[in-house]
């Protein structure tokens, strides 16, 4: 089946399949010093004393740094920093897991042991501030993506006019990105030149932050990152460990390698904050929306306002004369949250699409029909025309592929042996973040074409996408194209986040290749370009171009869309849910590489499955810590969880988004899945789960008859 | 019987002997990566929870992060660096490439090592069986359906029969 | 990880001599011990590696199984699959293929709880890790904790699947030490926490598990291990049930049931077993009543009352499945 899918095999595939691809921690460095962090064990307070004596005496330990002897760093603010507080600069403890000391030693084992021997004591330790204890406030600007509040029309009047109103509160839990590769930094100084091998989604953001921290011109900092072992948002910004490793290298005068432990990954590079979302939908008798209200509140740290823009998609999803969206935050004892695949719509569409399903049942209307009836002609909030809006096509195509028309409407109407069977669906949307990037393309007389861009490969298959674009533009064989990437010495690109890389870097490569083609065409002679170069006595010719999204799309409402249909099987006695099959159809601009695009969507759907069924990081209220900082306690899907996934795309080139017609796909697949699954669980069982994940007890509770909990044996 | 905090150990990796002086507390994973420069084997969790460090010891797939290097004197250790055939991709690696069975690539060496063992164990009889027996290797990019397809294809190429029409979980 | 000295034991006597010193710990498969070393749960001065000892036999005899303590989970499972399906299933639904290739059967029994407070990367209030430090789980996150046999000092459960199946089959553990060899039933191998949750089994620090004996009987084929967990694989049990039955034309003559994930030891359902005798496997109401008989003494915590319900339903399901196997077999 897969052989039938067109598209270039990954050019970096052989390196990844043989272990030759170098990730940050694989960087060979002579004389490297190993660093290990000592995390705070309280969530709020002050460092009273740090006893480093035993650590300093331990074999192999070279130095122990604390806030008393750590070099003072300068801040550039966030972003590019993930949070505004810099590490080891003062004695305040703001979250559990915050670094309070760093041990440097000759070997990894010695550094880890040294870190165990550091004893910190704390004063002014207060009860951690938990989500739900405090006040919800309007977020201050900074880490907000999108406008936190917006209103059009009169929602109260719309609700008063409605004949059917659904209102419900939905919650999503704290989650952790949990990429397979823990964050890692290898830093070395040569005079006042700093070189950092970093696991980052944004080499230039890392360069910016390090240059600011050490008060250097940007060109004194080189950041290298050809490959990242997954990031999903937690490597999008710059976090304390990167600054600490660079500072330690300066203090010791030796290269320093700092690899976070898996436990530290839970407190060092952000997390997806829980959300509590309230949705109210009103319709007339025909199921046409008269009012939409979507409010969300999420916890953030005490020192930064990270607002999870969960209500974003509700702004443009359905036609309604009145829409009211708002995001509030609550200050709690935790690290600053950060975007996680899929941010914003990934959370908000669980609430909106669950509520739409509830509304469909209230109206006794097919949920696909309800969505089609509320298809807007223009962006309902801004009145702007859509650059492209093939949502109805996605709904119809996916419904047909799934076989939706045979679905009995009533819950609990399908059964197979011990299992209840349910079908559910959801619409999908994701905002389109367009970011500027540059690239250089060089054609050589030896026949090779070299594409150069600073961007890092995170698994999306960008080298293959850029190869395809360059080869198509220049009319050369893809096998003759090499992509050089992952280095701030190469042309500047944006981060690999916000589903933006194909648009940004791809458009830059297309522009550079086009310019190069024009230069080549201007050469005398005929025949293939390498021949013409040789005839002109040139070894190579290149062109560099920058693409800026401001050049197009102004005044357009630009987004990606899709529809997802799932079948679940629920064991009602045991409260277990499995998803044997899923069908999803997407409209996401021009698909450059169908092979890797399909993989991205499958991965996104599996992420949505994890969100729906497994993932939850419990923030222990008494201790103010994420309780299970390991991959046995924080569960992500394994191979056995994921059934058959049918992915298709609708042809949807969108030149308002980018000259390639391409849009972003990296996060789209993770949107809507949890709602489709929850809706299918309702269809199977008649139980509406509004709180993720859909755990065993949520499906057992409604028929509860256990003994009352006791407090004494 | 003598207890040693440090010792000289011969590690036979991909058929080649390496004599290294190591601390008893060093795991096979850190020995491979930090001492032998064989960084193809990855550290994902360092706690037996992800499978990224899967290698073969004595022909069996095991986790290098849960193995003390000192205990492997004279054992046969195979890592991803030894999986190439005639300098190119082996049949399992080829199937992973053709089926796009990886994305970021970080878990991939472990997936390949696990897949090779799974096929040799005779656990590639059906898609369902492959799913279960590949579940010790977490892929956060979640290339799971492609991994199942790649393992089935590789098993077929290696002369194993696979029933791919079996229902999903 | 603290540094330690390491040696391979050349023979059993040397291993036993080594562990007479309380600073010496044993390593076998390593899948638990290496984690304990990394997390500081174990901080031995010396580690004696017993993997070379000839304790890895897997012998199926007419009177029952003798499973060497150093046999690996993945090697034992296929040998016992036909006659003792509950054992094979308990082995194959545990951990991952890689871990099962490493983990020894003896080590499996000696796993320690997965309680997140106990397993934390730093020391939290936990009477198992630091006696007297309290039990943060008692009034904390209790979803995965015990519903039977807990104390205010500790609410943790034992994580082994295999031990639950062994308990249901009335297996015994062979132990050797300086005082010679002794035999302990698996059901008596584990201690409930009481006031001292640091002592989890009756195994003395200077003793080694050498083998496990599983008696044969008409019930072993009609057996089943049901593991309930949210992730489809590679997860510890929320609740698990080992069931083994003998029956005559569908009427139960002998039932053995043990639960996992509910207490600090595999939890035998004695009352249910007694109540099942003479009950027809077709009589769902009678089966339910028999199952419920063991749950009157359940004491759920604030966050895990659902496990009482879940465990009963899982027990009923496991009974039915085990019973159907018996009928197919005969």
């Amino acid at each position: 089946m897969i052989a039938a899918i067109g598209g270039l095999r990954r050019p970096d595939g052989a390196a990844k399949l043989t272990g030759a691809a170098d990730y940050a921690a694989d960087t060979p460095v002579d004389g490297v010093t190993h660093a290990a962090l000592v995390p705070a064990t309280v969530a709020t307070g002050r460092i009273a004393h740090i006893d480093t004596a035993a650590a300093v005496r331990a074999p192999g330990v070279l130095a122990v740094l604390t806030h008393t002897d750590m070099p003072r760093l300068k801040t550039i603010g966030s972003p590019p920093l993930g949070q505004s507080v810099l590490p080891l600069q003062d004695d305040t403890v703001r979250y559990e897991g915050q670094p309070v000391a760093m041990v440097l030693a000759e070997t990894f084992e010695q550094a880890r042991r040294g870190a165990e021997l550091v004893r910190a004591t704390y004063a002014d330790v207060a009860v951690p501030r938990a989500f739900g204890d405090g006040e919800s406030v309007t977020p201050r600007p900074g880490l907000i993506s999108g406008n936190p509040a917006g209103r059009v029309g009169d929602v109260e009047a719309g609700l008063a006019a409605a004949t059917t109103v659904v209102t419900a509160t939905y919650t999503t839990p704290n989650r952790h990105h949990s990429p397979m590769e823990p964050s890692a930094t290898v830093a070395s100084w040569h005079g006042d030149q700093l070189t950092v091998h970093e696991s980052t989604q944004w080499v230039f953001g890392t360069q910016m932050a390090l240059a600011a921290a050490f008060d250097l011109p940007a060109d004194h900092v080189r950041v290298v990152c050809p490959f990242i072992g997954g990031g999903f948002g937690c490597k999008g910004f710059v976090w304390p460990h990167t600054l600490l490793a660079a500072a330690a290298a300066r203090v010791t005068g030796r290269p320093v390698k700092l690899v976070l432990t898996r436990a530290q990954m839970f407190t060092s590079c952000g997390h997806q904050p829980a959300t509590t979302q309230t949705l109210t939908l009103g319709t007339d008798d025909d199921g046409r929306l008269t009012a939409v209200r979507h409010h969300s509140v999420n916890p953030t740290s005490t020192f930064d306002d990270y607002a999870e823009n969960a209500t974003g998609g509700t702004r443009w999803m359905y036609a309604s004369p009145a829409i009211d969206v708002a995001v509030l935050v609550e200050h709690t004892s935790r690290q600053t949250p950060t975007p996680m695949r899929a941010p914003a719509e990934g959370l908000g569409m669980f609430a909106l699409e669950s509520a739409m399903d509830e509304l469909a049942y209230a109206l006794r209307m097919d949920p696909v029909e309800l969505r089609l009836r509320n298809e807007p002609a223009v962006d309902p909030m801004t009145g702007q025309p859509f650059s492209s809006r093939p949502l109805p096509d996605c709904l119809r195509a996916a419904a047909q592929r799934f076989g939706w028309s045979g679905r009995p409407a009533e819950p609990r109407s399908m059964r197979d042996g011990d299992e209840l069977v349910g079908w559910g669906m959801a619409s999908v949307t994701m905002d389109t973040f367009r970011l500027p990037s540059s690239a250089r393309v060089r054609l050589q007389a030896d026949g090779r074409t070299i594409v150069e861009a600073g961007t890092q490969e995170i698994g999306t298959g960008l080298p293959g996408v850029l190869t395809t674009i360059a080869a198509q533009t220049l009319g050369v064989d893809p096998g003759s194209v090499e992509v050089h990437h992952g280095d701030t010495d190469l042309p500047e690109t944006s981060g690999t986040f916000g589903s933006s890389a194909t648009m940004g870097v791809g458009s830059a490569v297309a522009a550079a290749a086009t310019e190069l083609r024009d230069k080549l065409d201007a050469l005398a002679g005929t025949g293939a370009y390498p021949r013409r170069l040789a005839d002109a006595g040139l070894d190579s010719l290149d062109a560099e171009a920058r693409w800026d999204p401001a050049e197009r799309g102004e005044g357009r409402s630009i987004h990606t869309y899709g529809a997802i249909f799932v079948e679940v099987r629920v064991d009602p006695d045991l409260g277990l849910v499995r998803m044997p099959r899923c069908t999803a159809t997407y409209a996401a601009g021009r698909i450059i590489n169908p092979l890797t695009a399909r993989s991205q969507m499958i991965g996104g759907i599996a992420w949505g499955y994890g969100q729906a069924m497994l993932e939850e990081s419990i923030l222990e209220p008494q201790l103010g810590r994420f309780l299970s900082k390991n991959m046995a306690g924080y569960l992500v899907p394994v191979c056995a969880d994921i059934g058959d996934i049918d992915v298709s795309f609708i042809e949807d080139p969108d030149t308002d988004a980018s000259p390639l017609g391409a849009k972003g796909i990296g996060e789209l697949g993770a949107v809507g899945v949890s709602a489709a699954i929850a809706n299918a669980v309702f269809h199977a069982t008649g139980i509406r789960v509004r709180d993720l994940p859909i755990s065993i007890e949520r499906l057992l509770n409604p028929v509860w008859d256990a003994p009352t909990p006791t407090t004494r044996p | 019987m003598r207890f040693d905090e440090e010792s000289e150990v011969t590690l036979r990796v991909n058929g080649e002997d390496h004599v290294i002086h190591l601390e008893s507390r060093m795991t096979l994973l850190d020995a491979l990566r930090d001492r032998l420069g064989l960084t193809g084997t990855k550290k994902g969790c360092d706690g037996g929870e992800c499978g990224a460090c899967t290698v073969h010891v004595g022909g069996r797939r095991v986790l290098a992060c849960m193995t003390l290097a000192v205990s492997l004197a004279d054992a046969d250790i195979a890592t991803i660096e030894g999986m190439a055939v005639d300098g190119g991709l082996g049949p399992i690696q080829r199937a992973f490439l053709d089926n796009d069975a990886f994305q970021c690539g970080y878990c991939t060496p472990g997936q390949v090592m696990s897949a090779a063992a799974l096929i040799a164990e005779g656990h590639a009889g059906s898609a369902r069986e492959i799913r279960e027996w590949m579940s010790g290797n977490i892929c956060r990019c979640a290339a799971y359906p492609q991994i199942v397809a790649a393992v089935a294809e590789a098993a077929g190429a290696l002369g194993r029969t696979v029933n791919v029409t079996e229902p999903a979980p | 990880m603290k540094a330690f000295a390491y040696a391979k034991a050349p023979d059993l006597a040397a291993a036993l001599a080594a562990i007479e010193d309380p600073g010496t710990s044993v390593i076998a498969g390593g899948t638990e011990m290496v984690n304990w070393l990394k997390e500081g749960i174990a901080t031995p001065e010396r580690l004696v590696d017993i993997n070379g000892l000839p304790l890895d036999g897997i012998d199926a005899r007419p009177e029952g199984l003798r499973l060497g303590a150093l046999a690996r989970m993945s090697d034992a499972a296929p040998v016992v699959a036909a006659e003792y399906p509950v054992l094979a299933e308990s082995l194959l639904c545990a951990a991952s293929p890689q871990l099962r290739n490493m983990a020894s059967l003896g080590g499996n029994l000696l796993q320690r709880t997965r309680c997140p407070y106990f397993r934390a990367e730093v020391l939290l209030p936990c009477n198992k890790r630091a006696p007297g430090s309290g039990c943060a789980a008692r009034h904390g996150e209790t979803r995965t904790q015990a519903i039977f046999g807990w104390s205010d000092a500790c609410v943790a459960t034992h994580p082994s699947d295999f031990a639950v199946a062994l308990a249901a089959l009335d297996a015994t553990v062979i132990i050797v030490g300086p005082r010679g060899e002794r035999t302990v039933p698996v059901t008596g191998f584990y201690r409930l926490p009481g006031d001292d949750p640091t002592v989890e089994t009756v195994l003395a620090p200077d003793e080694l598990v050498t083998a496990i004996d599983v008696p044969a009987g008409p019930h072993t084929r009609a057996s089943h291990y049901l593991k309930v967990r949210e992730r489809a694989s590679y997860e510890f049990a929320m609740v698990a049930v080992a069931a083994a039955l003998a029956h005559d034309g569908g009427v139960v003559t002998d039932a053995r049931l043990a639960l996992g994930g509910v207490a600090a030891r595999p939890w035998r359902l004695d009352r249910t077993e007694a109540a099942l005798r003479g009950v027809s496997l077709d009589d769902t109401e009678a089966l339910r009543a028999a199952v419920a008989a063991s749950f009157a003494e359940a004491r759920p915590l604030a966050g895990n009352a659902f496990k009482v319900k879940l465990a009963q339903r899982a027990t009923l399901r496991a009974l039915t499945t085990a019973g159907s196997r018996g009928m197919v077999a005969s």
Side-chain angles (χ1 to χ4, degrees), chain C:
Chain C
M1 192 192 301
K2 191 164 84 76
F4 54 81
Y6 167 95
K8 273 196 166 114
D11 51 44
L12 185 59
L16 287 172
I19 60 172
E20 282 185 32
D21 170 6
T24 304
S25 292
V26 171
I27 186 166
T31 57
E32 267 287 58
M33 179 52 76
V34 175
N35 257 335
W36 298 342
L37 295 168
K38 287 181 182 179
E39 304 292 11
I41 292 171
T43 53
E45 298 294 326
R46 277 166 300 281
L47 204 56
V48 58
D49 181 341
I50 61 167
N51 283 300
L53 305 185
L55 298 173
D56 58 350
I58 304 167
D59 299 321
R61 306 165 184 168
E63 67 273 23
L65 298 169
R66 171 152 287 204
L67 305 171
L70 288 175
R72 308 295 144 160
M73 292 170 74
S74 55
D75 295 327
V79 180
V80 303
E83 296 299 322
Y84 304 82
V86 66
L87 286 183
E89 288 167 346
S90 75
L91 290 165
L92 292 181
C93 70
S96 73
Q98 292 94 313
L99 290 164
R100 296 195 294 267
N101 276 343
M102 303 172 73
S104 68
L105 298 183
N108 183 297
L109 298 187
L110 294 168
Q111 288 179 83
R112 303 189 71 186
T113 182
R114 302 306 305 188
C115 171
Y117 297 87
F118 174 79
R119 291 274 169 177
E121 78 292 351
V122 294
L123 204 56
L124 302 179
C126 172
N127 292 319
K128 265 192 200 303
R129 290 275 296 264
S133 63
C135 173
R138 172 67 186 85
H139 297 287
E141 182 58 32
T142 53
R143 180 170 189 254
T144 60
Q145 310 288 2
I147 56 172
F148 290 109
W150 51 267
S151 70
D152 279 337
C154 181
V155 295
T157 63
H158 196 264
S160 170
D161 292 300
F162 183 52
V164 178
L166 290 175
L169 296 183
D170 293 304
T172 54
V173 182
I174 318 297
I175 293 170
V176 297
R179 296 162 295 282
E181 183 177 297
R182 65 192 181 110
T183 301
V184 175
V186 170
T187 49
F189 185 68
Y190 297 98
R191 289 180 71 259
L192 291 177
D195 292 335
D196 184 5
T198 60
V199 184
E200 294 166 357
T201 69
V202 300
L203 187 73
D206 60 358
E207 291 179 315
L208 278 175
V209 173
T210 56
I212 300 154
D213 278 348
V214 186
H219 56 282
T220 68
R221 287 188 84 169
S223 69
H224 177 50
Y225 190 75
L226 173 64
K227 182 170 182 175
V228 182
R229 53 181 164 180
E230 281 148 336
R231 189 156 80 175
S233 187
Y234 203 1
E235 190 191 357
F236 292 95
M238 178 62 74
V239 158
V241 187
L245 294 176
H247 56 90
D248 185 358
V251 175
V252 176
T253 55
D254 181 18
R256 297 149 198 247
L257 291 163
L259 295 182
V262 298
R265 66 167 195 235
W267 197 259
R268 279 288 289 255
L269 301 180
D270 300 329
R271 289 179 191 171
T272 300
E273 292 173 17
L276 281 170
R277 263 173 229 120
V279 170
S280 166
L281 287 167
D282 296 331
D283 186 349
T284 306
E285 283 312 309
L287 292 177
R288 276 188 188 158
V291 170
S294 292
F295 285 83
E297 61 177 354
R299 290 183 297 124
L301 295 152
N304 70 4
F306 73 97
K307 285 175 82 168
V308 178
K309 187 91 184 166
L310 180 63
Q312 292 183 70
R313 293 174 180 190
T315 304
L316 186 65
R317 177 76 61 82
L319 265 175
T320 314
T321 307
S324 69
R325 282 184 177 166
M327 284 183 249
V328 170
S330 58

Side-chain angles (χ1 to χ4, degrees), chain A residues 116 571-574 576 578 620 625 628-629 635-636 641 695-697 700 703-705 711-713, chain C residues 1-2 116-117 120-122 138 141 143 152 229-232 235 299-300 305-306 309-310 313 317:
Chain A
E116 289 168 9
D571 186 323
D573 290 337
L574 305 181
L576 295 177
R578 303 286 183 244
E620 218 283 356
R625 62 170 263 139
S628 286
K629 297 178 188 172
L635 296 179
V636 302
D641 286 304
S695 50
I696 289 170
E697 59 267 47
L700 288 178
V703 281
W704 186 246
D705 63 7
T711 51
R712 289 293 311 165
Chain C
M1 192 192 301
K2 191 164 84 76
Y117 297 87
E121 78 292 351
V122 294
R138 172 67 186 85
E141 182 58 32
R143 180 170 189 254
D152 279 337
R229 53 181 164 180
E230 281 148 336
R231 189 156 80 175
E235 190 191 357
R299 290 183 297 124
F306 73 97
K309 187 91 184 166
L310 180 63
R313 293 174 180 190
R317 177 76 61 82

Side-chain angles (χ1 to χ4, degrees), chain B residues 47-135:
Chain B
E49 298 154 0
C50 80
C53 66
T54 302
V55 297
H56 298 176
V57 172
R60 294 156 69 103
R61 47 173 161 163
V62 300
L63 299 179
C65 76
M66 292 281 98
T67 305
L68 296 178
V70 67
S71 71
L72 294 183
D74 303 316
D76 268 310
I77 301 160
T79 70
I80 190 69
E81 286 88 353
M83 289 298 281
V85 176
D86 299 331
L89 298 182
I92 294 164
Q93 291 161 314
R94 187 79 230 169
F96 269 65
L97 184 66
D98 288 343
N99 288 279
D100 206 39
F102 58 97
Q103 293 183 34
C104 80
Y106 196 79
C107 72
T108 308
Q111 301 278 358
V112 170
M113 297 309 286
S114 212
L118 178 154
I119 293 168
E121 290 159 9
H123 287 133
S126 68
R128 172 174 291 196
E129 191 178 19
I130 294 169
R131 279 189 189 102
E132 168 61 25
W133 288 81
M134 283 303 290
S135 281

Side-chain angles (χ1 to χ4, degrees), chain A residues 475-545:
Chain A
V476 300
D477 175 27
S480 71
V481 179
E482 282 174 33
V483 180
H484 297 174
H485 55 89
D487 192 331
T488 51
D489 280 355
L490 298 172
E492 180 166 359
T493 54
S494 60
T496 313
F497 43 59
S499 305
S500 68
T502 293
M503 263 180 298
V505 189
S507 295
V509 168
T514 303
E515 203 180 310
L516 176 60
R517 190 185 61 203
D518 292 345
K519 283 189 190 179
L520 289 162
D521 286 342
L523 290 175
T526 54
Y529 290 143
R531 177 65 190 273
R532 285 201 240 177
L533 278 177
D535 288 351
L538 296 170
D539 289 336
S540 68
L541 202 57
D542 65 18
E544 182 167 337

Side-chain angles (χ1 to χ4, degrees), chain A residues 160-535:
Chain A
T163 52
T164 303
V165 173
V166 162
T167 187
T169 296
Y170 304 86
T171 67
T172 65
N174 297 308
R175 293 165 71 210
H176 278 92
H177 310 71
S178 306
M180 299 314 297
E181 179 204 21
S183 297
T185 309
V186 178
S188 49
W189 291 83
H190 304 276
D192 62 351
Q193 298 278 331
L194 172 63
T195 302
V196 169
H197 292 260
E198 175 76 8
S199 178
T200 176
Q201 293 172 238
W202 191 15
V203 287
F204 292 96
T206 307
Q207 180 190 44
M208 218 187 299
L210 286 167
F214 296 99
D215 206 8
L216 296 168
D219 63 5
H220 285 220
V221 180
R222 181 181 174 204
V223 179
V224 181
C225 177
F227 299 107
I228 329 167
F232 313 107
C234 74
K235 298 169 182 172
F237 298 145
V238 182
W239 297 94
H241 61 271
T242 309
L243 306 177
L244 288 172
R250 178 167 255 189
V251 169
T252 58
R254 289 173 54 169
V256 166
K257 176 174 178 173
L258 173 57
V259 183
L260 296 184
T261 65
R262 181 51 62 181
Q264 288 165 1
M265 284 299 288
F266 285 78
T267 54
S268 303
C269 42
H271 58 276
Q272 181 176 79
T275 63
T276 299
Q277 305 177 46
T278 302
L279 235 307
T280 302
L281 302 174
T283 68
D284 63 18
D285 287 335
D286 293 332
R288 290 190 168 77
L289 290 164
T290 58
V292 175
R293 178 184 288 139
H294 186 179
H295 289 184
S296 178
V297 56
N298 68 265
T300 185
S301 63
T302 52
F303 46 95
D304 289 316
D305 286 6
Y306 173 84
E308 184 69 55
N309 189 21
T311 63
T314 304
R315 291 166 169 265
W316 66 78
M317 203 58 202
Y318 298 116
S320 172
I323 300 175
D324 166 21
V325 296
V327 174
L328 300 176
V329 297
E330 193 178 311
H331 295 112
T332 65
S333 308
R334 62 171 68 203
Q335 191 182 30
T336 304
T338 209
M340 170 169 158
R341 187 193 198 187
E345 289 80 276
L347 300 161
M349 290 293 278
F350 166 64
L352 178 62
E353 292 301 290
S354 292
M356 285 293 279
D357 200 65
E358 299 202 43
L359 184 60
Y361 278 99
L363 292 163
R364 307 187 77 77
M365 184 181 289
D366 182 88
V368 177
E369 175 59 25
L370 175 64
R371 286 161 175 85
L372 291 172
R373 272 189 202 190
N374 287 288
E375 180 62 15
V378 294
D379 185 308
M381 199 97 177
T382 63
Q384 291 175 336
F386 290 110
S387 64
S388 148
R389 175 83 189 188
L391 176 61
D393 306 315
C394 294
L395 287 164
R396 292 191 184 101
Q400 205 260 328
R401 289 175 79 102
F402 183 83
W404 181 258
S405 64
R407 174 183 182 260
E410 282 305 303
R412 299 182 71 88
S413 50
M414 298 197 290
R415 182 180 271 278
D416 182 6
D418 284 335
E419 293 176 332
L420 300 172
V421 180
W423 290 357
M425 59 77 57
S427 292
V428 177
T429 194
M430 191 72 206
D431 205 355
T432 296
F433 296 96
R434 303 185 304 144
L435 304 168
S437 280
S438 301
R440 188 161 52 234
V441 181
R442 184 170 69 249
L443 196 128
Q444 303 180 163
D446 65 5
R448 291 188 304 149
T449 298
I450 313 296
V451 175
E452 295 180 323
T455 188
Q456 46 291 309
E457 152 63 3
I458 195 175
T460 54
L462 198 58
V465 164
L466 301 184
T467 297
T468 301
I469 292 169
Q472 285 178 355
T473 310
L474 290 168
V476 300
D477 175 27
S480 71
V481 179
E482 282 174 33
V483 180
H484 297 174
H485 55 89
D487 192 331
T488 51
D489 280 355
L490 298 172
E492 180 166 359
T493 54
S494 60
T496 313
F497 43 59
S499 305
S500 68
T502 293
M503 263 180 298
V505 189
S507 295
V509 168
T514 303
E515 203 180 310
L516 176 60
R517 190 185 61 203
D518 292 345
K519 283 189 190 179
L520 289 162
D521 286 342
L523 290 175
T526 54
Y529 290 143
R531 177 65 190 273
R532 285 201 240 177
L533 278 177
D535 288 351

